[in-house]
Amino acid sequence: MTFIDLNFYFFSALLLAAALGVIASKNPVHSALWLVLSFFSCAALWLLLEAEFLGIVLVLVYVGAVMVLFLFVVMMLDINIEEMRKGFVRYLPIGALVALILAAQMIWVVGPIGPDILDDESLKQAVRHGADYSNTKELGRVLYTEYVLPFEIASIILLVAIVAAISLTLRRRKNTKYQTPSKQIQVKRDDRLRIVKMDAEAKE
Amino acid sequence: MLENYLPVLIFMAVGLIVGFVLLTMGGFMLAPHKPDEAKNSPFECGFEAFEDSRMKFDVRYYLVAILFIIFDLEIAFLVPWAIVLEDIGLFGVLSMGIFLGVLVIGFIYEWKKGALEWE
């Protein structure tokens, strides 16, 4: 077993343990922290596959942005933990069914009965590259030229996400009062002030 | 390529060891550990806590968060593009131009819609 294999087994074990921690811990904050650890070990596994850009993006986007936002919400939101644990028995059959289907799919792909994708020569063993090899460069070379259509589709998907997020969550409050400085500055004397001519009151 | 990441691995290992050693030394071995009821109670400037720290969130917080993540992803797409810009030439510039153009449409939409204003 080489040093790389040792790292692979270490980070895989860490990933499995962290994933178990996500679903097993009672406190949602602990679950979120376990999820951060599992993202980290997953990024380490991707690095071992020489997908350095993807690994670092996983840390940057998921750990840096998504999980921190998650954690903020989970910490501050009023979640009644007792209330959440009530439905366990009710949802157990559905959860077990989904888990069974997932396990069957994985066994079908990897195991002995399914299609022989693992015998495919191109999937057997990744070629190890030297110190000056840049995976990011290789990715960039094909992503913007050969795979330009999926790349543009990604932008469309992000656009759809923007529109969907806005239309789902944007609520205008009717009763908020706020200032418009430009209108305040542009106001003329005549808009505000009215001089009323009156006769002087005579003394009785 | 992996040898470039050996320092990162060593850094992680050292960080883990330092964290473990300091916490076990400080928390369990060296420090006196005599908890009592007053020490374990929540402290808020001397009086009892008024309310739970958990509360309802304005949904607009999620909106800002989601929009941030979307543009974060856009930046992530820019990094490999910037590295190989000399190799992919005008075609790469144009494809990134379309990509950014589509997202700028989304940006204008959210700006005009007022999603970035907090009121």
Side-chain angles (χ1 to χ4, degrees):
Chain A
M1 196 178 350
T2 61
F3 182 62
I4 291 173
D5 288 341
L6 206 69
N7 274 304
F8 170 76
Y9 286 118
F10 174 72
F11 284 113
S12 310
L14 197 65
L15 176 59
L16 284 179
L20 205 65
V22 174
I23 56 168
S25 54
K26 287 174 186 169
N27 191 334
V29 177
H30 293 170
S31 279
L33 288 173
W34 279 117
L35 197 54
V36 169
L37 182 63
S38 61
F39 279 144
F40 260 118
S41 34
C42 200
L45 285 182
W46 286 4
L47 272 180
L48 287 176
L49 285 171
E50 301 198 345
E52 52 177 351
F53 180 70
L54 288 179
I56 289 168
V57 162
L58 183 73
V59 172
L60 218 77
V61 172
Y62 278 83
V63 179
V66 176
M67 282 323 292
V68 171
L69 297 170
F70 245 64
L71 211 55
F72 264 118
V73 171
V74 165
M75 271 198 242
M76 307 295 266
L77 214 58
D78 57 350
I79 303 168
N80 193 338
I81 297 169
E82 290 304 310
E83 195 83 6
M84 282 177 69
R85 288 166 58 79
K86 264 182 194 163
F88 183 74
V89 178
R90 223 182 92 204
Y91 295 123
L92 188 63
I94 303 170
L97 186 70
V98 171
L100 206 70
I101 292 171
L102 275 177
Q105 282 175 335
M106 274 189 244
I107 291 167
W108 172 257
V109 171
V110 183
I113 49 166
D116 289 337
I117 58 153
L118 293 183
D119 289 338
D120 197 328
E121 278 303 315
S122 61
L123 291 173
K124 271 254 165 88
Q125 175 74 51
V127 187
R128 297 274 167 217
H129 294 280
D132 54 346
Y133 172 78
S134 170
N135 172 258
T136 316
K137 228 173 206 170
E138 295 295 319
L139 199 69
R141 250 179 226 133
V142 290
L143 180 61
Y144 306 104
T145 51
E146 206 179 324
Y147 296 101
V148 66
L149 185 63
F151 173 62
E152 305 299 353
I153 289 172
S155 78
I156 301 285
I157 289 172
L158 288 178
L159 178 67
V160 170
I162 293 174
V163 175
I166 290 173
S167 61
L168 280 177
T169 57
L170 189 66
R171 304 256 188 287
R172 284 239 157 266
R173 286 215 191 100
K174 296 284 188 296
N175 55 357
T176 30
K177 295 191 170 78
Y178 52 91
Q179 296 178 320
T180 318
S182 60
K183 274 188 183 168
Q184 287 180 320
I185 292 170
Q186 280 172 0
V187 99
K188 293 276 184 336
R189 190 194 65 180
D190 298 342
D191 300 339
R192 296 276 169 87
L193 192 71
R194 192 161 56 95
I195 296 174
V196 183
K197 286 280 180 214
M198 280 177 76
D199 294 332
E201 285 183 22
K203 216 174 190 181
E204 306 220 347
Chain B
M1 196 206 90
L2 286 175
E3 54 264 41
N4 297 333
Y5 287 94
L6 186 64
V8 179
L9 188 70
I10 295 170
F11 189 85
M12 278 166 66
V14 171
L16 215 63
I17 291 166
V18 168
F20 263 110
V21 166
L22 288 185
L23 275 178
T24 41
M25 293 271 280
F28 299 109
M29 290 160 71
L30 297 178
H33 194 63
K34 289 174 199 148
D36 59 38
E37 201 179 324
K39 278 183 192 170
N40 283 337
S41 65
F43 179 76
E44 193 174 323
C45 297
F47 47 78
E48 292 288 313
F50 288 131
E51 56 190 25
D52 202 33
S53 64
R54 305 173 189 287
M55 56 189 168
K56 291 265 189 294
F57 251 63
D58 193 337
V59 75
R60 240 167 324 156
Y61 173 79
Y62 302 95
L63 180 60
V64 174
I66 291 167
L67 293 177
F68 163 69
I69 288 168
I70 288 166
F71 287 102
D72 200 28
L73 278 173
E74 179 197 338
I75 299 298
F77 270 110
L78 276 172
V79 175
W81 177 76
I83 289 176
V84 294
L85 195 51
E86 287 182 350
D87 296 349
I88 55 178
L90 187 65
F91 186 79
V93 174
L94 284 178
S95 65
M96 181 50 88
I98 297 170
F99 181 83
L100 287 183
V102 171
L103 280 166
V104 164
I105 293 172
F107 185 60
I108 292 170
Y109 174 76
E110 72 179 61
W111 191 307
K112 289 288 171 200
K113 198 87 177 165
L116 297 172
E117 282 165 33
W118 197 258
E119 293 181 16

